[in-house]
Amino acid sequence: MVSFEKAQELVMAKVFETGTEQVDFNEALYRVLAEDVYADIDMPPFDKAAMDGYACRLEDLDKELELLEVIAAGEIATHKVGKEQCIKVMTGAKVPEGADTVIMVEQTEEIRPGLIRFSGNKTAPNIAYKAEDVKKGDLVWKKGMQILPQHVAIFASVGCIKPLVAKQPRVGILSTGDELVEPSEYPEEGKIRNSNGFQLIAQVRAAHCIPNYMGIVPDTEEATHEAIKKALAENDMVILTGGVSMGDFDFVPRIMRQNQVEIIFQKVAVKPGRPTVFGRTKDTCIFGLPGNPVSSFINFEVFAKPLLYKMMGLDYQPLDLRLPMGIDFSRKKADRVEWLPVSLNKEGEVVPVEYHGSAHIHAICLAKALMSIPKGLYEIKKGALVNVRPI
Ligand code: AMP
Ligand code: MG
């Protein structure tokens, strides 16, 4: 059995990247950038009026100003602003030549048509200066970073309309178990609905990768062999659930080996998820996760998700908050790292949610985060700081 930390390290060491592709920037949300993006223009591209008002010379503020013309954003003034003159400009318009200040419309009086006076007592220049935000040639977003809505705006403004991004790993999802029926069916006695498969589809989507649901696999060696073989051939990563424990029909690790999978580990000192299996062929990673939905959920989060991100070139650093415990907590065994579904109370303290064990999927639905309890720790006193990862 490997330690939890060692297992994480082994998973992350087995990364291969999925390659790159160019996409429309408007379809690039949440993709991982595979190139550095530079500005092809200054931003702002010219000295820009930051207010609706009158462009004039600062030294003329105590004078009456002759109005030369009115320009909208996008228009260029036909006059130059000289001594005791002004041009009315709208926010976003290029500041006319000769002007160094834009006085706000609210701080002016029109003495008579065509004659303006500053009525405030002081003013800022109210100009957004050329290149003050970004200079032509500046790096605006880096390779290996995820593209969020604000980056789409930056790409639009620098004309990066076809960014190079990492290809999304395709993840084959298999649910093993003779007891499983599809969610559309009503389970007969002894059967349960396949919840893991769909939970994993959603988790893969939430990690911005491509799920490939490959169905329920009966607990026979032949069916498992065929399913694993097909899944390895068609995907960058395969995730199976069930069939990895000590039951009479738990032969997933053996069948993986028959399919040229090098098993990297087969048991991890983590709760839930001790029988988690991880292996790889030359071009596919494969996880065998325990069948209980909470184990499957957590082990996807802590093992598969960071690997998927790394396959896309993203150094994923999950939020790891240090928060005070809201109750006295103890556990009987401390031989494994434990992940516990928790919530936060009004004081921002960590409180475990009601949890009956790894089949209790509803517990995760009520949880806000997973608390990690280190190996060897039996007791946590109220107020002690604990590590939690939001989910
Ligand atoms: P196993 O890991 O195959 O021994 O399964 C452990 C437990 O998880 C059993 O109670 C299974 O019925 C349950 N289980 C296995 N696969 C699924 C699934 N896809 N959806 C929901 N529960 C499952
Ligand atoms: Mg099973």
Side-chain angles (χ1 to χ4, degrees):
M1 183 148 72
V2 295
S3 72
F4 174 68
E5 294 75 13
K6 183 71 189 169
Q8 275 189 312
E9 202 182 290
L10 288 169
V11 167
M12 296 304 267
K14 295 295 169 188
V15 73
F16 53 85
E17 297 194 351
T18 36
T20 59
E21 60 186 340
Q22 269 189 313
V23 294
D24 190 306
F25 81 107
N26 203 21
E27 302 292 331
L29 189 63
Y30 300 126
R31 302 293 295 270
V32 179
L33 195 56
E35 62 178 349
D36 290 336
V37 174
Y38 297 93
D40 71 339
I41 49 165
D42 293 330
M43 279 162 44
F46 46 82
D47 290 346
K48 202 166 78 171
M51 296 283 174
D52 296 317
Y54 296 89
C56 60
R57 308 185 324 163
L58 185 64
E59 61 191 279
D60 291 344
L61 281 199
D62 54 350
K63 305 286 184 341
E64 290 176 355
L65 306 173
E66 177 201 353
L67 178 63
L68 298 175
E69 62 179 307
V70 180
I71 58 164
E75 281 180 354
I76 301 295
T78 54
H79 297 81
K80 205 172 144 178
V81 174
K83 189 163 183 275
E84 293 172 34
Q85 291 180 325
C86 68
I87 290 176
K88 191 171 191 189
V89 292
M90 308 302 140
T91 304
K94 184 174 184 213
V95 176
E97 233 183 288
D100 57 9
T101 303
V102 175
I103 49 178
M104 290 164 69
V105 117
E106 297 88 330
Q107 294 192 320
T108 58
E109 273 171 67
E110 195 169 14
I111 305 164
R112 57 179 164 76
L115 203 63
I116 301 301
R117 190 171 62 202
F118 179 57
S119 59
N121 40 37
K122 65 174 194 282
T123 179
N126 296 323
I127 296 174
Y129 293 103
K130 175 175 159 75
E132 73 176 4
D133 300 340
V134 174
K135 285 188 190 47
K136 180 175 175 176
D138 276 357
L139 181 63
V140 291
W141 204 225
K142 279 206 299 257
K143 179 176 173 172
M145 305 302 281
Q146 200 166 29
I147 301 171
L148 303 178
Q150 54 272 43
H151 308 124
V152 176
I154 276 277
F155 290 5
S157 62
V158 303
C160 174
I161 56 166
K162 285 264 178 215
L164 190 71
V165 298
K167 282 191 183 152
Q168 294 162 296
R170 186 175 157 90
V171 184
I173 296 164
L174 292 168
S175 306
T176 76
D178 281 337
E179 74 279 34
L180 301 178
V181 299
E182 292 294 359
S184 55
E185 289 172 46
Y186 188 84
E188 286 167 22
E189 205 178 343
K191 307 279 184 186
I192 56 166
R193 288 192 174 107
N194 172 19
S195 55
N196 284 339
F198 296 91
Q199 177 172 256
L200 282 167
I201 291 173
Q203 284 178 293
V204 166
R205 275 201 192 117
H208 313 294
C209 298
I210 301 169
N212 177 20
Y213 178 58
M214 304 188 76
I216 294 170
V217 185
D219 283 325
T220 67
E221 299 204 17
E222 302 71 45
T224 308
H225 182 88
E226 285 313 308
I228 290 180
K229 185 171 159 192
K230 185 169 189 305
L232 286 170
E234 290 179 9
N235 300 284
D236 301 303
M237 180 186 282
V238 176
I239 304 180
L240 285 110
T241 62
V244 291
S245 326
M246 299 302 287
D248 290 355
F249 305 99
D250 292 340
F251 31 67
V252 162
R254 182 153 47 86
I255 306 287
M256 283 187 188
R257 284 196 184 89
Q258 282 175 15
N259 279 284
Q260 285 73 50
V261 172
E262 177 198 358
I263 304 276
I264 312 291
F265 57 76
Q266 203 172 328
K267 275 199 170 37
V268 186
V270 64
K271 183 181 177 186
R274 182 178 6 218
T276 293
V277 184
F278 175 64
R280 64 169 290 170
T281 62
K282 66 179 191 323
D283 56 8
T284 309
C285 296
I286 179 163
F287 286 95
L289 303 181
N292 273 312
V294 177
S295 309
S296 165
F297 179 90
I298 293 177
N299 288 288
F300 177 89
E301 290 298 311
V302 299
F303 291 123
K305 184 156 120 183
L307 179 58
L308 284 173
Y309 278 136
K310 199 164 179 193
M311 288 165 85
M312 295 187 281
L314 179 87
D315 182 20
Y316 168 64
Q317 301 289 347
L319 257 189
D320 188 18
L321 305 174
R322 293 274 291 163
L323 294 174
M325 193 71 184
I327 57 159
D328 285 337
F329 172 87
S330 68
R331 58 176 180 162
K332 291 201 183 71
K333 286 172 92 179
D335 58 335
R336 293 183 267 168
V337 168
E338 184 166 352
W339 292 93
L340 208 61
V342 295
S343 192
L344 299 180
N345 65 20
K346 286 201 185 72
E347 282 68 47
E349 296 167 327
V350 177
V351 279
V353 299
E354 188 182 332
Y355 178 50
H356 311 146
S358 59
H360 187 189
I361 191 64
H362 198 230
I364 296 255
C365 300
L366 299 175
K368 292 268 188 298
L370 299 172
M371 170 171 88
S372 63
I373 311 169
K375 186 175 165 180
L377 188 66
Y378 286 89
E379 283 192 3
I380 305 171
K381 291 273 174 240
K382 179 174 162 55
L385 292 180
V386 292
N387 289 63
V388 299
R389 180 185 294 203
I391 51 173

